[in-house]
């Protein structure tokens, strides 16, 4: 495909984008009408939305359009999974400059489509408008399959905290990229394209999880949301939190305690949940902490019994990290 | 509320926004968790998304934040109604500059909430990020109440075309505003805040509509989508299309044929549908044309048997209208 999105025109671009999509049996009416129609066999639908902006959530010199698509879809699909639901559909609101090469939104759509396929979902609709800053607004829908939604507010004293998926890999990859390196590839790839354990969300619901979230702002920050919503304290045991040897090497090279990435790095979209103490967890889950009645007025997350005093999570309106991209 | 969104911070702003929301019985889990859960009693969910950008879809000197919120919600809720569905929920993806006064997004949210209430829906979730250009990405969901979805592709030769709601009012209001006037108020208000006939969508489905859409790009352009999707010709009878006397007066004042606004003006979100010829329509529907087998290779929309040669609808990547705001 040649030329810019301006040359292709709105309808030309929409044609190119929709032509590349795949479908699933859950899609009753796909793109092209006033709205899409998607199966919601559970009689409830789970819905979430996230916005990514160029320069803030991704950089075109660090990530391909395809990777941005994978990532934009992944972070929304992970939110669906973190409710215990199975993702069904994605809608895309896209802002693109007229002088952007038309291949960029097309490859973005390929990435969104492929990530949807990994999660069992399909792109069912969207909107494309012209604007100065590339903006990717993704909405994801899912089905609870007749199970209760697992919110952040159900954790009880005595529960254990377990996690599955990657922790700190994206943050380590960002640290590498922001220092001008392109390797180790495994971490750079993890930053460009997270691999949330979608299956783990519904599986945790089935296992009896009492509270659950995906790690998008960082483990300590996201567990803080569970602690606050559930009115409990959570203590993590650092000895039980795996820090891969390769991550320790990078940490040494760039002068960062790798445990910091593991505890505060977001965007890998691991799934973390509270479970009653007697629940037997499959091997993919690592028990990393426990839930207690709140000791003070404000529910807290501690590491080995002490406050984790390094910055946790991000506030989008606060200071930018040095590199200008949210980690 | 004082200060800017940067001073309030992401979490402070989200707290302010969610504190203003109302709910409905369909909302099982509202804002504040990884995702929302909304009732979908029909076992299907209707979903649509639209993006509005400052300077392109609205201007802060012409519309209040509240009006932008009403409009952003209205255009999505109208898409749900145009499928024959009842709106249930809205999600908001919002991009705001850090130096924007915090009252702006808060009033925007008030507008979205109030328009949702008109349509019977509720805001259930969203995302707020910082960026240079105010961008409002709205996703709406709806329930079909056990009726078939009414797409654009079901019109048959012999059907009649009927419309309900306002036509050309927003375009006339935009013409007034773009010439520096603030009156007549009825038209300016119609541009700032459309009033889609939400009830008419499900009602048309109940009456047996064969194809339906809302008028967002202009009557001729949107009927063109029905003609193309259904493989039919559509002819409109201009004598049956009401041009209010006041609109004629404005047209004379600014040198525009008011029929042009009625036929090509979008954003009032009237509902237009094809019905079998024997369907008795309530008084609110005006029969304005008819459906025929295609005379040529390409399905066409004509007015009094002839091509309507003035520009119809907008292409977002094409030339801007003189005033820089999509009409």
């Amino acid at each position: 495909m040649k030329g810019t999105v301006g040359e292709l025109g709105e309808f030309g671009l929409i044609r190119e984008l929709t032509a590349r999509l795949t479908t699933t049996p859950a899609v009753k009416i796909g793109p092209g009408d006033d709205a899409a129609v998607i199966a919601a066999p559970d009689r409830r639908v789970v819905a979430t939305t996230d916005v990514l902006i160029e320069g803030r959530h991704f950089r075109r010199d660090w990530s391909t359009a395809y990777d941005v698509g994978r990532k934009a879809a992944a972070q929304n699909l992970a939110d669906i999974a973190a409710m215990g639901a199975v993702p069904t559909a994605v809608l895309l609101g896209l802002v693109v400059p007229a002088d952007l090469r038309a291949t960029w939104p097309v490859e973005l759509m390929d990435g969104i489509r492929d990530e949807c396929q990994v999660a069992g979902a399909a792109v069912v609709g969207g909107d494309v408008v012209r604007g100065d800053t590339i903006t990717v607004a993704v909405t994801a829908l899912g089905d609870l399959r007749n199970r209760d939604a697992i919110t952040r507010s159900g954790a009880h004293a005595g529960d254990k905290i377990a996690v599955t998926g990657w922790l700190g890999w994206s943050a380590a990859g960002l640290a590498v990229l922001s220092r001008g390196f392109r390797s180790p590839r495994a971490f750079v790839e993890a930053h460009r394209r997270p691999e949330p354990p979608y299956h783990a969300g519904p599986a945790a619901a089935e296992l009896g999880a009492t509270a659950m979230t995906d790690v998008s702002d960082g483990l300590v920050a996201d567990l803080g949301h569970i602690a606050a919503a559930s009115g409990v304290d959570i203590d993590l045991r650092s000895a039980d939190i795996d820090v891969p040897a390769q991550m320790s090497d990078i940490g040494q090279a760039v002068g960062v305690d790798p445990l910091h990435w593991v505890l505060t790095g977001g965007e890998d979209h691991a799934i973390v949940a509270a479970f009653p103490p007697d629940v037997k967890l499959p091997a993919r889950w690592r028990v990393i902490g426990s839930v207690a009645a709140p000791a003070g007025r404000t529910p807290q997350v501690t590491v080995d019994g002490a406050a984790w005093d390094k910055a946790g999570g991000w506030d989008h309106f606060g200071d930018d990290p040095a590199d200008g991209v949210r980690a």
Side-chain angles (χ1 to χ4, degrees), chain A:
Chain A
M1 191 182 332
K2 289 180 190 171
T4 66
V5 299
E7 286 158 14
L8 200 54
E10 181 193 5
F11 294 116
L13 179 56
I14 289 173
R15 251 193 312 273
E16 288 289 342
L17 297 180
T18 52
R20 313 177 78 80
L21 297 179
T22 52
T23 189
T24 71
V27 181
K28 302 308 175 192
I29 297 175
D33 220 293
D34 292 308
V37 180
I38 308 107
D42 178 82
R43 294 183 187 269
R44 294 168 297 176
V45 62
V46 183
T48 186
T49 200
D50 265 328
V51 181
L52 285 80
I53 297 185
E54 183 179 9
R56 184 143 200 89
H57 304 97
F58 62 88
R59 280 174 53 160
R60 270 191 278 164
D61 55 338
W62 286 358
S63 295
T64 65
Y66 182 82
D67 286 339
V68 175
R70 295 285 299 238
K71 191 172 194 162
Q75 71 182 57
N76 281 280
L77 295 164
D79 278 331
I80 297 297
M83 296 299 285
V86 177
T88 54
V90 154
L91 296 101
L92 169 66
L94 181 61
V95 181
V96 280
D99 62 1
L100 183 68
R101 289 183 60 80
T103 47
W104 202 93
V106 164
E107 287 165 19
L108 175 90
M109 183 54 98
D110 285 348
I112 293 174
R113 175 202 62 209
D114 288 356
E115 192 66 25
C116 281
Q117 283 194 314
V118 170
V123 178
V124 297
D127 188 24
V128 179
V129 302
R130 186 171 64 182
D132 293 334
T133 306
I134 301 179
T135 306
V136 182
V138 173
T139 301
L141 306 178
D143 187 74
L144 283 163
R145 303 253 173 114
N146 301 316
R147 285 185 293 260
D148 285 342
I150 311 300
T151 67
R152 298 170 179 174
S153 60
H156 295 102
D159 283 351
K160 55 189 173 189
I161 296 292
V163 67
T164 186
W166 309 99
L167 286 174
W169 286 61
S170 176
L174 177 65
V176 165
L177 283 165
S178 65
R179 281 157 180 85
F181 300 108
R182 300 269 166 167
S183 65
R185 285 194 67 76
F187 294 93
V188 170
E189 284 304 305
H191 176 70
R192 290 184 176 140
R193 196 189 295 179
E195 290 181 4
Y198 299 118
H199 63 277
E206 191 68 38
L207 287 164
T210 56
M212 180 157 56
T213 191
D214 73 307
V215 179
S216 50
D217 294 330
L219 182 64
V220 171
D222 286 308
L223 282 173
H225 299 147
I226 286 183
S230 300
V232 296
D233 282 352
I234 292 173
D235 186 48
L236 299 178
R237 288 182 303 273
S238 64
D240 293 334
I241 298 176
D242 181 48
V243 176
Q246 215 185 353
M247 198 184 287
S248 297
D249 293 344
I250 305 176
Q252 202 152 29
V254 302
V256 173
D257 178 356
L259 190 63
H260 176 76
W261 289 326
V262 171
L263 291 177
T264 69
E267 298 206 323
D268 290 299
H269 303 288
I271 301 268
V272 63
F275 293 94
D278 56 335
V279 168
K280 281 205 189 344
L281 293 170
R284 273 191 289 228
W285 291 87
R286 284 120 49 201
V287 176
I288 57 170
S290 56
V291 179
R297 265 199 210 174
T298 314
Q300 287 208 68
V301 178
T302 49
V303 179
D304 301 328
W308 176 256
D309 53 7
K310 294 175 191 166
W314 295 104
D315 182 323
H316 295 207
F317 297 116
D319 287 336
D320 276 317
D323 45 68
V325 172
R326 179 182 177 223

